Amino acid sequence: MCQIESYQEMFERVKEKGEGAFIPFIVVGDPDFETSLEIVKTYADSGADALELGFPFSDPLADGPTVQAADKRSLSSGMTTKRGFEFIKCIREYTNIPLGLLVYYNLIYKMGEDEFYKAAMECGLNGILVADLPPEEVGILLDTADKYGLDQIFMAAQTTTNERLEKIAEMCTGFLYVVAVMGVTGARSELADATVELVSRVRCHSDLPLAVGFGISHPEHIQNVLSAGSDGAIVASALLNIIEENLENKEVMLQKVGSFCRQLKEATRHKKIEELV
Amino acid sequence: MISKGKFGKFGGVFVPELLIPALEELEAAYLKYKDDDEFNNELNYYLKEFAGRPTALYHAENLSKKLGCKIYLKREDMLHTGAHKINNTLAQGLLAKYMGKTRLIAETGAGQHGIATAVVGALLGIPTEVYMGSEDVERQKLNVFRMELSNAAVLPVESGSRTLKDAINEAMRDWITNLKTTHYLIGSTMGPHPYPTMVKYFQSIIGQETKRQIMEKEGRLPDTIMACVGGGSNALGIFSEFIGDDEVELVGVEGGGHDIKSHRTGATLTMGTEGVLHGSLSYVLQNNDGQINEAHSVSAGLDYPGVGPEHAYLKDTSRACYDAVTDQEALEGFRLLSKTEGIIPALESAHAIAYAKKYAEKKENKGKIIIINLSGRGDKDMDLVSRQIGG
Ligand SMILES: Cc1ncc(COP(=O)(O)O)c(C=O)c1O
């Protein structure tokens, strides 16, 4: 395996091509270890510039029904923290693009921060985003991330004040996760105007690469957030819905996942026409 | 945020970034209005005229004679809607009104907190929606009807274990989505800061009255105070005024379920380990990976795999001690109080009665003055108990 690509290198790579980064998400072990691995490989083969990987949690309070169902499938197929890291190791053997982990804090707390971050480094992760860990509770985690050469990624939301944005931008490395909606994860048909405003506001306060997530479900959404100044887009529920709808037929599932990924990646190549002139 | 709401290392604000500004807004409003004359006048008016405060500190002579201790009952069961929950819902409902919120949401397990929120919504004219696990909706049909009579919408939650913890998840998700208009009225001393501090403050009226009353009646402090612990609000409410009085023993009684050593238990402090659930670090029932277990208790109000963070602190500093009684013992406590005193306790409160019985049986405790917080009445449990022990 050649060297792991950093977030910075990845964002520069896509920028040079005049594109945005396409970052698909999966709950590791959904619907089971093997299938999940094939899905992630399909992501990687279909244009993913980086991967966002979630560990399942019994009580995911930032997530809507789609991710909740994925968490449940994964947990009932026997996923554990240890198996989760093994899973990531398998992906790392397959691709060198950046791998980010999305996790709820209790899984880290239970294992111990140091041990968890060490395991994360050893399996080849680039960064960790803790869904329920705001800057107030970071404690020594930044040092731990630093110790193991991992990026600590944070979220910025519409409710985040400029003052907080500055603080968050200072702590954050890798990229800043911009939460597109006021709400939980889940596919949405429309992208709010406020999302576009938020991207430009965050842009003013940070030089970090920005990736927008929550609710991004159509190629147009991707074009909109990229033209607003985002460097990438994270797609979760829209892909998980395809998985859920095709649990009975793996071949069809992989084929649909692949073709949707190619569409989404394609959208990152064409920012809105009016923005180009 | 002015404070991170820590009790030792416990508590905190373990929530998604989206919620932080809402918690800041709530903390600011709480700090402002808790010392505001107009707010307090209105709250005290409703506590007295609507809810029925103060509640009696009743010397339960028959039970005392039977158990060989001097037992007082703090009669929170006499309050409107039948439990201490109304102290908190009146206060937070008013706070929401002062904050200009136009919608209340709440979670409920047994339905007590849901009802107490629903009536406050009706009283103050604020539309109210209550999340309730679909399992609990089944178990507590009458309470669903009571909430709906008071104009609240009951939203059954199908996710997870379909009980209280999942109702809380769903209420949090709703709140994240509707922050501007909505106040999330949490029903116990749990959740992220400022809830544990704020709910304790609004429930501390129980302890203030109790202290005054016991001094009037006995001219001294009690030896022991007992209260059941679900999230921990009735217990902290009565403990609060006595935490500084080291000579007063404080005991929290958890729902042991079938057997505390099995997985079928609600005894979070007794059997759980440190972890983060619903926004704060405390004790939780969880597996080796940190996945949260389902709790089990015959009483829906104690059927929760978490517990308020201040209780974790009181346990670790040994200022309070915690123990659990089983479903079976609680049912015996339920019968004992009904028979000896003609007072039918809530199943939650029956846990404290059952513990008092075990406590009084010990030689070293004979003759002690014990106060039991009778957090609620048993009307809501008639159906379940009649099925369990036969009429
Ligand atoms: C009567 C009664 N007591 C106790 C409880 C447990 O809550 P807490 O521990 O917050 O007092 C409940 C909860 O529904 C209740 O209804």
Side-chain angles (χ1 to χ4, degrees), chain A residues 176-194:
Chain A
L176 192 57
Y177 193 127
V178 180
V179 180
V181 297
M182 282 306 297
V184 294
T185 56
R188 289 175 174 67
S189 52
E190 304 267 322
L191 196 69
D193 292 342

Side-chain angles (χ1 to χ4, degrees), chain A residues 56-61 63 68 75 80-81 106-107 109-110 131-132 134 136-137 155 159-160 164 182-183, chain B residues 4 6 12-18 20-21 159 165 169 173 176 179 274-276 286-292:
Chain A
F57 184 49
S58 53
D59 295 80
L61 59 76
D63 287 299
Q68 288 174 43
L75 285 172
T80 60
T81 302
N106 198 44
L107 303 193
Y109 188 82
K110 190 75 175 108
D132 53 352
E136 279 78 358
E137 297 293 352
M155 287 183 169
T159 48
T160 308
R164 285 183 69 78
M182 282 306 297
Chain B
K4 287 185 197 167
K6 297 278 182 179
V13 283
F14 295 88
V15 294
E17 173 63 24
L18 274 90
I20 292 285
S159 60
K165 95 178 160 73
N169 290 337
R173 291 178 187 124
I176 288 173
L179 289 175
E274 285 175 21
V276 173
Q286 58 185 334
N287 73 11
N288 288 336
D289 269 350
Q291 306 290 349
I292 308 303

